[in-house]
Amino acid sequence: MKTGPDREVLTVYPYRSACPKSIWRNLISSARNEIMFAGYTNYFLWLEHPNLAKVLKRKAEQGCKIRFLIGDPDSEVTRRREEVENVPLTVSTRIRITLSEIEQVRNVPGIEARFGDEHIAMSVFRFDSEMLVTPHLAKLVGHDSPMMHLRRYQDDGLFDRFGYHASELWSNGRDVWAEEPRGRTENTNPPAR
């Protein structure tokens, strides 16, 4: 039985893709107060969890606060990551798939979405007092990086530290639905002289 700071680590997976879908499903369905998907693309969620938008809508209607923190598909951070990964299904395409999927829950009270580029190297998925954390390795895509399953047991432990990280990134994020996508608006003001 673990008694030290590592007691918050329930399981580790050498690859995020090695985590059973049932773990994700159980965490999503059992969360009552808070769900946060702070993955740079969150793309895999829509592939692995049929009817996720409907499930999230129902949870929000029951009072669960749901937040998405995703990368900006038009940012320089995203463009550089695409060069590093060098895969056909680009980072910006994966983000745009998530943007398309979350349109289904755009006007649901309790569901929010923000852009933030600072979490490119780590994904934090929170479900009340449990969390899945993926530190992204070098040139690998998220599903090829390791993942930890944490449960909160103490103040200022691993869970709280990663929770702080995600909250800080969220507080600096930009509302997805309040912005016009870059490149679609034109500046009609002449440059100052």
Side-chain angles (χ1 to χ4, degrees):
M1 178 172 223
K2 297 177 184 178
T3 58
D6 64 336
R7 71 178 179 249
E8 292 191 316
V9 180
L10 300 181
T11 312
V12 294
Y13 302 95
Y15 302 91
R16 186 186 71 207
S17 56
C19 178
K21 291 178 191 176
S22 61
I23 298 290
W24 288 92
R25 194 167 33 255
N26 290 339
L27 289 171
I28 291 167
S29 63
S30 65
R32 298 287 173 250
N33 302 309
E34 177 183 7
I35 295 175
M36 182 177 201
F37 298 108
Y40 201 76
T41 71
N42 290 314
Y43 160 76
F44 70 98
L45 293 168
W46 312 105
L47 296 178
E48 296 180 4
H49 305 285
N51 299 313
L52 180 60
K54 289 180 184 176
V55 170
L56 296 179
K57 181 178 185 240
R58 188 169 49 250
K59 293 201 78 60
E61 289 168 347
Q62 295 168 352
C64 189
K65 179 179 175 181
I66 299 166
R67 298 180 293 174
F68 286 90
L69 182 66
I70 58 176
D72 183 336
D74 299 316
S75 74
E76 182 63 21
V77 171
T78 297
R79 188 195 63 72
R80 283 195 313 268
R81 185 63 191 181
E82 288 179 345
E83 289 175 359
V84 168
E85 288 184 4
N86 192 28
V87 296
L89 188 58
T90 64
V91 176
S92 59
T93 298
R94 297 190 315 255
I95 294 169
R96 285 187 174 92
I97 289 169
T98 291
L99 289 171
S100 174
E101 292 290 341
I102 64 175
E103 274 300 307
Q104 300 173 64
V105 294
R106 179 178 186 153
N107 296 313
V108 176
I111 299 182
E112 298 177 84
R114 293 186 182 178
F115 287 128
D117 290 326
E118 297 176 42
H119 66 298
I120 185 71
M122 182 182 310
S123 297
V124 177
F125 306 98
R126 182 174 183 167
F127 313 89
D128 291 342
S129 62
E130 293 193 44
M131 186 180 286
L132 298 170
V133 177
T134 299
H136 295 261
L137 301 182
K139 297 179 180 182
L140 301 179
V141 295
H143 65 264
D144 287 334
S145 293
M147 188 173 74
M148 296 179 288
H149 183 176
L150 308 176
R151 181 176 294 139
R152 187 178 193 281
Y153 284 120
Q154 65 190 53
D155 291 340
D156 202 32
L158 283 176
F159 183 95
D160 284 356
R161 303 291 310 278
F162 285 118
Y164 167 80
H165 172 75
S167 293
E168 280 297 302
L169 295 176
W170 177 260
S171 69
N172 293 321
R174 301 175 326 275
D175 188 336
V176 165
W177 294 312
E179 292 188 3
E180 278 294 312
R182 291 182 192 170
R184 287 194 189 167
T185 58
E186 294 180 9
N187 184 357
T188 56
N189 298 325
R193 294 191 171 173

